[in-house]
Amino acid sequence: MSRRQRGVALVSVLLVVAVATALAYAMVDRQGFTIAHSQQTLAGSQARQFALGGEQYARQILYADWEEEETRAIDTLLEEWSAPAEAFEVRGGALEIRIQDLERRFNLNAVSGNREGAQNTARLKRLLTALGIDANLADHWVDWVDADQDVTALGSEDAAHLMGDPPRRAANQRAAHVSEFAVATGLDAEAFERLRPHITVLPIDDLHVNVNTANEIVLGTLVPNFTTTRALGLVEQEREIARLEDITGTHPELGEAVAVLTVHSAFFRVQVRAEVDGARSELTSLLHRHPETGALTLLWRSYGERFEALAWHEHEPEESGANGTMRQPDRRG
């Protein structure tokens, strides 16, 4: 074999080795990516399952609260379900659970479809005013959730909404999410964030405000002459009010709102955040607890809600005596 032929053979061998090396590297790299993707997918699935387990745990806590005769008739911020618990360890990560009753908030669906609709609209206007928001937006909201096309005072129906960008129609039915308020009224993001902690949307047309859990902003909107300052004096006490007569006796002005007052709650928001091997799953659920049987019904579940930190007006830790632990209930709800 000539020197030229030996050179060509050597180059060919080197080329084959280079190609084989490149292919091997690509295969290893792809395999590593596939393994990492599989691990991340598995961790994400595990995190979601842990989040669902956290929801079930919250159901047990709420059922245990109903099962106890001492806590069945009332719901307060002194009870275990309301105590914010520290995150606890699960396999490969951590789990956080928060439970909040929603009858401490103003039900936006209560401005239409019931006998208290007009009074509730006036209450919503007082709530907006207390937060420095234009009270006339309440009229726009009434038109958004009522069933007709009649314009309420300074409100707006389809004719106005179709001129917007983007054009839309009024829902003319109960709201499904609090964000609809910003859509219906054009409220800016900063003002909506001020309002958000005080409002909710429940699948009922009635307003029920739990005097044991509501903050002074919500309580101060119930009647015109029960100011936020007066309500703050009530909120700063340890509230374990068992009968409405007890509260109307000490605060006679609240007698005008007795139709919307309650001492217990039926709707609860459960938030769960699970982290497993770097993957995170955040779950928010709306639960209804039947007052007669304690049965818990899941009304909706979302993985798109952010896990919110509790603000000062949403919990009163100095009253709770919580130690950051959660007791395992004896039975399932």
Side-chain angles (χ1 to χ4, degrees), residues 1-50:
M1 179 182 294
S2 67
R3 182 179 299 176
R4 180 183 179 86
Q5 289 175 323
R6 287 197 300 270
V8 171
L10 180 59
V11 170
S12 299
V13 170
L14 292 174
L15 182 59
V16 170
V17 171
V19 171
T21 301
L23 289 174
Y25 178 82
M27 291 176 63
V28 171
D29 185 63
R30 180 179 293 273
Q31 183 181 29
F33 175 80
T34 301
I35 292 173
H37 181 267
S38 298
Q39 289 175 334
Q40 186 67 17
T41 301
L42 177 60
S45 298
Q46 289 178 327
R48 177 165 291 203
Q49 291 303 312
F50 276 125

Side-chain angles (χ1 to χ4, degrees), residues 258-327:
V258 70
V260 301
L261 291 176
T262 183
V263 296
H264 59 83
S265 298
F267 293 91
F268 296 85
R269 183 181 70 168
V270 174
Q271 289 189 297
V272 185
R273 177 164 59 193
E275 294 192 31
V276 178
D277 294 333
R280 175 183 295 179
S281 180
E282 296 184 344
L283 175 153
T284 300
S285 303
L286 174 62
L287 301 177
H288 175 260
R289 187 177 63 184
H290 196 285
E292 301 298 327
T293 66
L296 286 144
T297 302
L298 175 67
L299 300 180
W300 60 257
R301 177 188 294 139
S302 171
Y303 291 96
E305 302 276 329
R306 74 174 186 267
F307 189 85
E308 298 178 357
L310 293 180
W312 66 269
H313 49 258
E314 295 185 288
H315 187 71
E316 296 159 71
E318 69 278 7
E319 295 181 1
S320 70
N323 59 8
T325 61
M326 292 194 292
R327 175 176 57 86

Side-chain angles (χ1 to χ4, degrees), residues 52-90:
L52 289 170
E55 179 192 277
Q56 181 61 30
Y57 189 88
R59 291 167 67 102
Q60 294 180 26
I61 293 174
L62 290 171
Y63 185 75
D65 174 75
W66 178 88
E67 198 173 36
E68 291 285 342
E69 290 189 9
E70 293 182 359
T71 59
R72 180 177 301 175
I74 65 172
D75 291 298
T76 77
L77 296 177
L78 305 177
E79 296 175 348
E80 180 185 356
W81 62 264
S82 179
E86 296 178 353
F88 55 91
E89 293 184 1
V90 296

Side-chain angles (χ1 to χ4, degrees), residues 108 111 124 137-145 175 180-181 184-185:
L108 290 174
V111 299
L124 177 57
L137 296 183
D139 293 332
H140 294 277
W141 180 250
V142 171
D143 285 336
W144 185 264
V145 296
E180 290 185 46
F181 188 88
T185 63

